[in-house]
Amino acid sequence: MAVQIETLKKVKNGLDVLPDLYRYARLGFDAIPEDELERLKWYGLLHRKQTPGFFMQRLRIPNGILSTRQMRAIVSISREFGRNTMDLTTRENIQLRWLRIEDVPEVFQRLQNVGLTSQQTGLDNYRNVMGCPLAGLHHDEIFNAAPIAQSVSLALLGREFSDLPRKFNITISGCSHDCAHSRANDIGMTPAAKEINGYRMLGFHVALGGALGGTSPQLGQDAGIFLTTEQALPFCRAVLTVFRDNGSREKRTESRLKWLIREWGMPRFMAEVEKVFGQAFFSAGESLLIEHSGDHLGIHQQQEAGFVTVGLLVPVGRTNAEQMAEIADLADAYGTGELRLTPDQNILIPNVHETCLERLLAEPLLQVLQPHAPGALRGLVSCTGRDYCHFALSDTKELSLQVATELAALIPAERRVDLKVSGCVHACGQHHVGEIGLQAQRLRLEDGTIVDAFDLFVGGNHQQLATLKARKIPVDQLAGRIAAELAAMDGE
């Protein structure tokens, strides 16, 4: 597969498929050659075997911040062309489904009209850049890094990095809680301080090489440097350049940044990055991170007195046009026309004045997308699952909701569980960093029946990987087993 993809890219850069994309829109799906189906990923269009003839579209929403106008444009696309379906993702993003190639030009135009794009959100490109969902609002924020995350997400688009050896993930946060999960990314920036020329400067520490998929999951390693805020964008460009020019292209399972760092070692890698960067890096300063294991659900006081953010649970991120249209209405009525997406597949309404809070909490939609959900559901994350992904071994979204609901009846309602569920080894549900992690399997029973089961991982978080505790536990036994593991963790 590695050779096939690399050959495809040498024959024709993925970005060059755009004129042909419009031609295929006139001619229909059957006119698209197989290699061009791969190239369409450069514009965020991913064809799935489960939905032949239709595309999933992955958007680019930097730092997960969008306006209600942008959300309504997404809603209109979902309603008219996407069977009302959409998913909120672990990259603070939105995926649309059931799009026909004939409708793509209109979809692109509607996105462009509101300042959105899906360019370079698939295959060997850098993906949506994440940040703290409460950037600019959180009382524990060191500084607002959202403008930096937004600039990095958009400034490097184009030919310069349209042919990476593999996909690339970046997160940039000025929040002390690392709620954008820095060590699960290829580049993870978190707030730090350093005295430079007699002045205390705020900036970033950097972790490199995080990647959770495959059989060798790895959290990002400390790069040992301090960046000023102005250096964040050129640093990302330098790292991407070194990765683009030196990363392995022989085997796709060993082509992520972590493999280049393993081969070279961090000192050599950083020396090469420094050459491209053009000046010596500052040594590491003082990390400004504090321990945090919460989420963004419920009511959060903002920096400005009298205002709060209301975080709503969207179970496993699966939603629809009607819900998101109503969310936009509520954000206009009670907030300031802004929405925030989270790494846990949920959504926030910021800038709600406390005098309006009671009325907002009484709205019918908030009885469905609950701000005060049971603890077993609060930390639940699931990958796409078998209905849309041919790698998944089960319908992870439905099964994870089933398990979490059963678990909620077995544990105290206030006990938050960081439960992360993946349908395969690719770990899109991030099960390696869950307090409880589940990876889908299939189990043959003694009578020959094959049932859904999961491998159980325990003790993970975004600073350490979970440990495999048991293999192939049938779904109907999972809630009880997880409750027992949680009781052991809590010393009960």
Side-chain angles (χ1 to χ4, degrees):
M1 173 63 87
V3 174
Q4 177 186 341
I5 294 295
E6 288 303 318
T7 300
L8 179 149
K9 291 189 291 185
K10 288 178 182 177
V11 170
K12 177 180 175 181
N13 187 285
L15 291 177
D16 291 339
V17 79
L18 189 60
D20 295 305
L21 185 158
Y22 283 88
R23 181 166 57 87
Y24 301 140
R26 296 192 301 271
L27 298 175
F29 179 82
D30 291 339
I32 308 174
E34 185 174 351
D35 59 346
E36 295 284 73
L37 281 176
E38 291 294 317
R39 292 191 183 96
L40 290 178
K41 295 177 182 178
W42 267 257
Y43 289 92
L45 298 170
L46 289 78
H47 184 251
R48 294 298 187 223
K49 293 179 180 179
Q50 275 82 343
T51 56
F54 296 90
F55 293 89
M56 178 267 277
Q57 184 181 30
R58 181 182 295 134
L59 304 183
R60 184 176 288 273
I61 304 174
N63 208 120
I65 300 174
L66 71 165
S67 68
T68 52
R69 180 169 177 255
Q70 289 173 321
M71 178 61 87
R72 288 193 177 90
I74 296 169
V75 164
S76 74
I77 293 167
S78 177
R79 278 177 170 163
E80 295 180 44
F81 310 119
R83 300 188 184 181
N84 289 312
T85 61
M86 61 176 75
D87 285 331
L88 309 187
T89 80
T90 57
R91 294 211 63 78
E92 301 176 338
N93 209 349
I94 293 176
Q95 293 181 165
L96 299 168
R97 301 191 183 279
W98 297 106
L99 301 182
R100 302 184 314 142
I101 192 66
E102 292 87 346
D103 299 320
V104 167
E106 175 65 18
V107 169
F108 279 5
Q109 187 62 57
R110 293 192 189 188
L111 292 174
Q112 182 179 327
N113 289 345
V114 294
L116 292 175
T117 184
S118 59
Q119 183 176 324
Q120 289 171 264
T121 55
L123 216 63
D124 299 343
N125 293 280
Y126 76 95
R127 307 296 177 80
N128 194 50
V129 178
M130 296 171 60
C132 172
L134 292 173
L137 306 173
H138 201 287
H139 54 82
D140 281 339
E141 180 177 77
I142 308 303
F143 58 91
N144 180 8
I148 301 171
Q150 291 166 320
S151 66
V152 171
S153 189
L154 299 175
L156 303 179
L157 290 179
R159 270 201 184 304
E160 186 177 10
F161 301 115
S162 65
D163 180 15
L164 299 176
R166 204 69 165 82
K167 70 177 181 179
F168 199 95
N169 293 328
I170 303 172
T171 180
I172 302 173
S173 176
C175 174
S176 60
H177 295 304
D178 192 21
C179 48
H181 307 161
S182 62
R183 293 189 180 271
N185 288 260
D186 296 278
I187 297 177
M189 297 188 190
T190 53
K194 185 176 178 64
E195 186 172 313
I196 300 174
N197 297 327
Y199 294 92
R200 187 175 188 266
M201 303 287 291
L202 294 177
F204 299 105
H205 279 173
V206 181
L208 295 173
L212 301 179
T215 56
S216 301
Q218 178 177 301
L219 294 175
Q221 304 173 50
D222 187 359
I225 64 170
F226 172 85
L227 297 174
T228 66
T229 54
E230 294 80 7
Q231 292 175 325
L233 175 56
F235 176 80
C236 289
R237 173 175 271 114
V239 172
L240 283 166
T241 298
V242 173
F243 177 54
R244 179 197 65 199
D245 296 345
N246 299 279
S248 173
R249 296 173 183 265
E250 300 301 315
K251 189 176 181 182
R252 289 188 69 77
T253 55
E254 297 180 3
S255 294
R256 292 289 296 272
L257 177 65
K258 66 180 179 182
W259 294 100
L260 179 59
I261 294 175
R262 286 187 190 185
E263 178 187 351
W264 283 4
M266 187 65 78
R268 178 185 170 187
F269 180 79
M270 288 303 297
E272 293 299 318
V273 172
E274 193 171 76
K275 289 178 186 177
V276 178
F277 189 74
Q279 65 184 89
F281 292 122
F282 295 112
S283 61
E286 171 197 357
S287 172
L288 299 179
L289 291 180
I290 59 177
E291 186 176 351
H292 179 65
S293 59
D295 52 47
H296 301 94
L297 300 179
I299 314 304
H300 296 267
Q301 296 291 328
Q302 295 183 185
Q303 295 171 12
E304 185 176 357
F307 288 88
V308 299
T309 295
V310 181
L312 307 181
L313 176 74
V314 181
V316 296
R318 176 101 350 133
T319 184
N320 55 58
E322 281 65 38
Q323 284 185 341
M324 291 300 103
E326 190 169 348
I327 283 282
D329 290 343
L330 294 177
D332 281 340
Y334 295 98
T336 55
E338 184 179 285
L339 295 164
R340 307 285 185 101
L341 305 176
T342 82
D344 292 330
Q345 303 173 314
N346 297 313
I347 194 164
L348 315 180
I349 301 176
N351 305 316
V352 177
H353 198 272
E354 290 175 337
T355 56
C356 303
L357 181 58
E358 186 175 349
R359 283 183 291 139
L360 173 59
L361 295 176
E363 289 282 352
L365 184 63
L366 271 70
Q367 317 317 305
V368 179
L369 306 183
Q370 303 174 59
H372 302 295
L377 293 170
R378 288 183 72 102
L380 178 62
V381 166
S382 171
C383 73
T384 296
R386 189 169 54 196
D387 50 352
Y388 292 122
C389 177
H390 67 279
F391 292 114
L393 299 180
S394 63
D395 182 357
T396 51
K397 287 195 181 290
E398 181 177 337
L399 291 177
S400 61
L401 270 174
Q402 174 188 326
V403 171
T405 302
E406 293 172 358
L407 179 63
L410 301 177
I411 64 174
E414 66 275 10
R415 177 43 164 106
R416 183 186 182 278
V417 185
D418 194 27
L419 175 59
K420 299 187 182 298
V421 186
S422 299
C424 73
V425 71
H426 291 130
C428 295
Q430 303 179 337
H431 63 278
H432 291 297
V433 291
E435 178 185 26
I436 300 293
L438 303 177
Q439 180 185 325
Q441 299 288 355
R442 303 287 284 164
L443 174 65
R444 185 182 295 274
L445 302 179
E446 291 183 0
D447 64 1
T449 304
I450 297 177
V451 299
D452 290 314
F454 286 88
D455 290 346
L456 173 66
F457 294 76
V458 174
N461 55 52
H462 284 278
Q463 300 300 316
Q464 67 178 27
L465 296 176
T467 301
L468 177 61
K469 195 68 177 286
R471 293 188 180 274
K472 295 189 177 182
I473 302 175
V475 171
D476 60 3
Q477 298 176 23
L478 266 175
R481 179 60 185 271
I482 293 171
E485 293 289 346
L486 294 174
M489 291 181 196
D490 297 340
E492 297 178 3

